Amino acid sequence: MEKPKNKMGQVDFILFATILILVSVGIIMVYSASSYASLHSKYYNYDDMFF
């Protein structure tokens, strides 16, 4: 009796790299926006590394 073959396909590296790049750019954009907001706000004591 034969063992059932693995039905998983190959990993799509182009899709994986695209998602990784988009997530990285998104994280940088969020950090940049929060840094700007805290740098120009008296509430955060004008500290760009507050967050």
Side-chain angles (χ1 to χ4, degrees), residues 4-17:
K5 293 184 178 181
N6 190 359
K7 300 232 178 194
M8 291 185 61
Q10 292 182 350
V11 177
D12 188 1
F13 287 107
I14 294 174
L15 180 62
F16 178 72

Side-chain angles (χ1 to χ4, degrees), residues 2-41:
E2 289 183 33
K3 290 185 178 180
K5 293 184 178 181
N6 190 359
K7 300 232 178 194
M8 291 185 61
Q10 292 182 350
V11 177
D12 188 1
F13 287 107
I14 294 174
L15 180 62
F16 178 72
T18 303
I19 291 171
L20 189 64
I21 289 169
L22 287 173
V23 168
S24 300
V25 168
I27 289 172
I28 291 169
M29 289 176 71
V30 168
Y31 173 74
S32 176
S34 64
S35 175
Y36 178 83
S38 63
L39 183 63
H40 292 5
S41 176

Side-chain angles (χ1 to χ4, degrees), residues 35 37-51:
S35 175
S38 63
L39 183 63
H40 292 5
S41 176
K42 184 179 179 184
Y43 178 74
Y44 301 119
N45 205 17
Y46 302 108
D47 182 16
D48 63 337
M49 298 299 285
F50 181 81
F51 293 108

